[in-house]
Amino acid sequence: MSVGAEDAGGGGDGGSTETEAPKPERPKSLNVSSLDLLEEPVTWQGWLRGITFTVLWYGSILMGFFSLYCPILPLLFFCRPLYRRTTEVIFTMWESYAVALMEVVFGVKFFLSGDVIRPGERSVLLLNHRNRLDWNFFWGALAHATAPPAHNCKIVLKSGIRKFPGLGWIMQMSCFLYIRRRWEDDQRLMNNVLDYFRDINHTFQVLLFPEGTNLTPQTQKKSEEFAQKAGLPTLTHLLHPRTTGFTYLVNKLRNSEQLDAVYDVTVAYPRTLPLTELDLLKGRMPEEVHFHIKRYHASSLPHTDEGLRVWLGGVWAEKDDLLRTTLKQGHFPGCAAAAPHPPLNASYLSLLFWTPITLGMAYLLCTWWVVQWWCLAHTVFFTVISFATDGIQHLEVWLYRREQAKLKKE
């Protein structure tokens, strides 16, 4: 992946008083102390910045759900292929808005190095879990690293997130993979969706956090204790990966001819590191987010469970070494003296689309009883679905299976 170079200032000639322009400062370390961050005072400008971002970000999700997703819900029962395609197009459009808010409005810069992500491939994406917000910043990597710029990424998420108003409901409709952390249940739930994708010949990518949780002093201590008991090397900047979900996904997708590649993606925040959602609310937005991407063709992966476990451990050891090296030079390999990726044209278009949608729907919700009843009805419906079932995505699969069974009988 090619990156541009920073402009260097030139000195004057003869008796000129011009001096060489200072080079842009580069971060000296990608290791941000969480203790220092927590002690950093929050100004009123920070609160204003954070609340503005949160309102626009979450408002676009909630208002987009009521105005764009709910009207297409009947397609689930009458035209599932169109329903599947439409939900994913809308979600990709919203991803562009999330990236636009970060890049265009709040000045977050994305630095990428390594390989490009091929959206036409069926792949597994492995990402280290530095904080609770990695998945949101990862949209920036997908926006800039995919060639051509399109994708259909599904995240493996904790089951409880499906109940979150707006966001969890949209991810249900987009067929994300929710898990309960009970392997028998998780295997059944993922089999249901992945078999459905196989049957409809669906191209998609799966984003997996092998560490299972984000890096904190507490989780790092547990990881070190596990490493000592298992005789594994100690990792400095990562948690030891959990291998069960990874080996399952690779074997499942490979056996059904749904796997073309595995991408190892490393994320680092060189300056401000937001740890939780509350940090964003306080305006602690990262100035820069760095991603390094390495592609492995599916044929290069081991063919046994034990081989895959060892392979993933080796990848994580290399990733830890990569971060260790990065601490010394302040950037990933390939990003030396590099300029960030400029915002895409799609980011500006998404701002022009989503901001009026968000504000307009919010105004109608406050002023028109028809919209109020519309939102209330869908809120009740999705609340019941989310708490009483494993999500509307499994209803979609069930409807498809029932339709196929009828066709076989005929």
Side-chain angles (χ1 to χ4, degrees):
M1 182 182 301
S2 62
V3 290
E6 292 176 335
D7 294 331
D13 57 342
S16 173
T17 59
E18 292 181 4
T19 59
E20 184 178 358
K23 295 181 179 179
E25 291 185 3
R26 300 295 306 163
K28 297 180 180 178
S29 172
L30 294 178
N31 184 22
V32 180
S33 169
S34 59
L35 181 61
D36 292 342
L37 177 66
L38 293 174
E39 293 176 349
E40 191 176 286
V42 182
T43 64
W44 69 266
Q45 294 97 329
W47 280 109
L48 179 62
R49 172 184 168 91
I51 291 172
T52 301
F53 175 81
T54 304
V55 168
L56 290 174
W57 183 84
Y58 186 60
S60 68
I61 294 172
L62 205 56
M63 296 302 104
F65 170 75
F66 289 128
S67 61
L68 299 176
Y69 277 91
C70 291
I72 67 171
L73 190 58
L75 294 176
L76 172 62
F77 302 94
F78 302 112
C79 187
R80 271 180 302 283
L82 182 58
Y83 168 83
R84 172 83 350 257
R85 178 60 179 163
T86 305
T87 56
E88 291 169 347
V89 168
I90 296 174
F91 194 89
T92 303
M93 291 167 58
W94 176 81
E95 288 175 24
S96 178
Y97 182 66
V99 175
L101 284 178
M102 290 184 280
E103 285 189 310
V104 179
V105 181
F106 292 92
V108 177
K109 297 177 176 60
F110 289 95
F111 292 76
L112 285 89
S113 61
D115 298 320
V116 297
I117 297 174
R118 306 175 188 180
E121 288 185 331
R122 296 157 298 181
S123 58
V124 174
L125 310 173
L126 307 175
L127 183 64
N128 60 303
H129 213 345
R130 187 61 187 89
N131 60 40
R132 288 166 53 96
L133 305 160
D134 293 317
W135 61 272
N136 188 55
F137 294 109
F138 184 65
W139 304 135
L142 285 178
H144 291 292
T146 51
H151 61 271
N152 186 14
C153 186
K154 314 295 182 185
I155 309 177
V156 180
L157 297 164
K158 296 177 183 177
S159 182
I161 297 177
R162 76 179 191 275
K163 302 172 184 177
F164 198 87
L167 181 63
W169 303 340
I170 287 173
M171 289 178 170
Q172 288 181 44
M173 294 180 71
S174 299
C175 259
F176 279 38
L177 299 170
Y178 288 105
I179 58 175
R180 300 176 178 175
R181 295 282 180 89
R182 295 193 298 269
W183 180 238
E184 293 77 11
D185 291 338
D186 295 343
Q187 194 171 11
R188 173 181 58 83
L189 293 171
M190 287 195 287
N191 275 339
N192 198 37
V193 175
L194 295 176
D195 286 344
Y196 172 56
F197 286 162
R198 176 201 62 202
D199 294 343
I200 64 175
N201 194 28
H202 201 50
T203 299
F204 63 99
Q205 298 81 42
V206 178
L207 175 61
L208 177 68
F209 295 94
E211 293 161 305
T213 188
N214 57 297
L215 178 63
T216 66
Q218 293 76 22
T219 58
Q220 189 173 50
K221 182 179 179 181
K222 292 181 180 179
S223 179
E224 291 173 352
E225 292 172 352
F226 168 78
Q228 291 176 357
K229 292 179 181 178
L232 298 173
T234 300
L235 300 178
T236 307
H237 309 291
L238 301 167
L239 304 177
H240 277 278
R242 302 176 183 183
T243 59
T244 303
F246 169 73
T247 56
Y248 159 79
L249 274 175
V250 169
N251 286 326
K252 176 70 177 177
L253 296 177
R254 186 162 51 187
N255 292 337
S256 58
E257 299 183 350
Q258 292 176 282
L259 184 65
D260 299 311
V262 172
Y263 291 87
D264 172 35
V265 185
T266 306
V267 62
Y269 303 83
R271 297 182 183 179
T272 300
L273 172 66
L275 296 174
T276 66
E277 295 81 357
L278 182 59
D279 285 324
L280 286 189
L281 191 62
K282 293 177 179 179
R284 288 174 174 149
M285 189 76 68
E287 296 84 359
E288 297 180 3
V289 186
H290 291 232
F291 290 95
H292 184 74
I293 303 167
K294 187 173 182 179
R295 178 182 179 272
Y296 298 88
H297 194 276
S299 62
S300 69
L301 271 63
H303 291 273
T304 65
D305 287 355
E306 180 60 25
L308 288 171
R309 284 191 285 269
V310 172
W311 182 90
L312 182 61
V315 167
W316 238 244
E318 290 180 9
K319 188 191 291 280
D320 197 55
D321 289 338
L322 175 65
L323 287 169
R324 186 179 297 110
T325 301
T326 301
L327 291 177
K328 298 178 182 179
Q329 62 188 28
H331 51 77
F332 284 124
C335 278
H341 283 253
L344 300 170
N345 291 334
S347 294
Y348 296 99
L349 293 176
S350 64
L351 283 174
L352 295 175
F353 175 80
W354 280 99
T355 304
I357 287 285
T358 302
L359 298 178
M361 188 65 186
Y363 173 78
L364 292 175
L365 179 59
C366 294
T367 59
W368 193 15
W369 66 269
V370 173
V371 174
Q372 293 168 357
W373 279 103
W374 169 271
C375 295
L376 177 62
H378 286 91
T379 297
V380 171
F381 174 76
F382 273 90
T383 300
V384 171
I385 287 288
S386 300
F387 280 87
T389 73
D390 289 305
I392 201 168
Q393 71 274 28
H394 294 287
L395 173 61
E396 177 182 350
V397 176
W398 180 80
L399 290 170
Y400 172 79
R401 301 281 182 228
R402 189 182 67 166
E403 182 182 80
Q404 295 301 304
K406 287 183 178 179
L407 292 175
K408 288 182 179 179
K409 289 182 179 180
E410 296 175 358

